[in-house]
Amino acid sequence: MKRKTKRRSLATPDLTPLIDVVFLLLIFFMLVTTFDKYSGFNLELPKGSISSEVTKDNYELIIDKENKYFIVKGKEKNQVLLEELPNKLQSIKEITITADKDLKYEVIVKTIGVLKNSGIDKVELNFYD
């Protein structure tokens, strides 16, 4: 004797009215919502000043348009090669690089890499015209 099995059809609700209601709610909330631009939180930024003073103990590395390097300490200005920088700046922990604004970034990044590898912890960067 064979049993007859009923095949059940899958009950799928119609989602069209639900989508319509969601869109109507979305439009309602978009129209009713007000954005108060003055209700944000207050953020107090620290005050700072830019100082371009170079003290006596600071070294400055100047890179000009022709990729020439100059080490300046006080009133002394000596021309060096990029390969000589680690030897010339052995005991220094911070230096200011002043470069021409039209200089390629590749030269500046390479110089910073040489300085970091030679043990200089703090590198400050300035540009001039």
Side-chain angles (χ1 to χ4, degrees):
M1 202 186 283
K2 288 187 178 179
R3 289 178 126 189
K4 290 186 177 180
T5 58
K6 284 188 177 179
R7 291 190 179 186
R8 292 188 181 180
S9 64
L10 295 175
T12 57
D14 188 20
L15 296 178
T16 306
L18 179 66
I19 293 172
D20 291 340
V21 169
V22 169
F23 280 128
L24 287 173
L25 286 173
L26 179 69
I27 292 170
F28 172 76
F29 286 121
M30 285 174 55
L31 292 175
V32 173
T33 302
T34 58
F35 295 101
D36 188 8
K37 62 182 175 181
Y38 300 109
S39 68
F41 59 91
N42 293 330
L43 177 65
E44 291 185 31
L45 297 174
K47 304 287 188 250
S49 63
I50 297 174
S51 170
S52 64
E53 296 177 16
V54 177
T55 61
K56 296 177 189 172
D57 296 336
N58 285 355
Y59 280 82
E60 183 178 12
L61 180 65
I62 298 176
I63 309 171
D64 65 0
K65 290 180 184 179
E66 291 86 30
N67 294 347
K68 293 181 183 174
Y69 295 86
F70 299 94
I71 296 177
V72 178
K73 181 179 181 194
K75 293 186 179 183
E76 289 183 41
K77 184 175 182 181
N78 300 320
Q79 185 174 357
V80 294
L81 297 174
L82 180 62
E83 295 81 22
E84 297 174 349
L85 283 178
N87 295 333
K88 298 279 185 178
L89 305 173
Q90 286 180 348
S91 63
I92 299 171
K93 293 296 176 191
E94 62 182 71
I95 193 166
T96 301
I97 298 176
T98 304
D100 187 75
K101 72 172 185 169
D102 297 326
L103 198 64
K104 291 184 179 181
Y105 292 125
E106 174 185 341
V107 175
I108 296 170
V109 170
K110 190 175 188 178
T111 305
I112 292 173
V114 168
L115 293 174
K116 289 287 187 178
N117 288 337
S118 66
I120 296 177
D121 296 330
K122 183 178 175 187
V123 177
E124 187 176 316
L125 189 59
N126 294 326
F127 292 99
Y128 69 92
D129 291 330

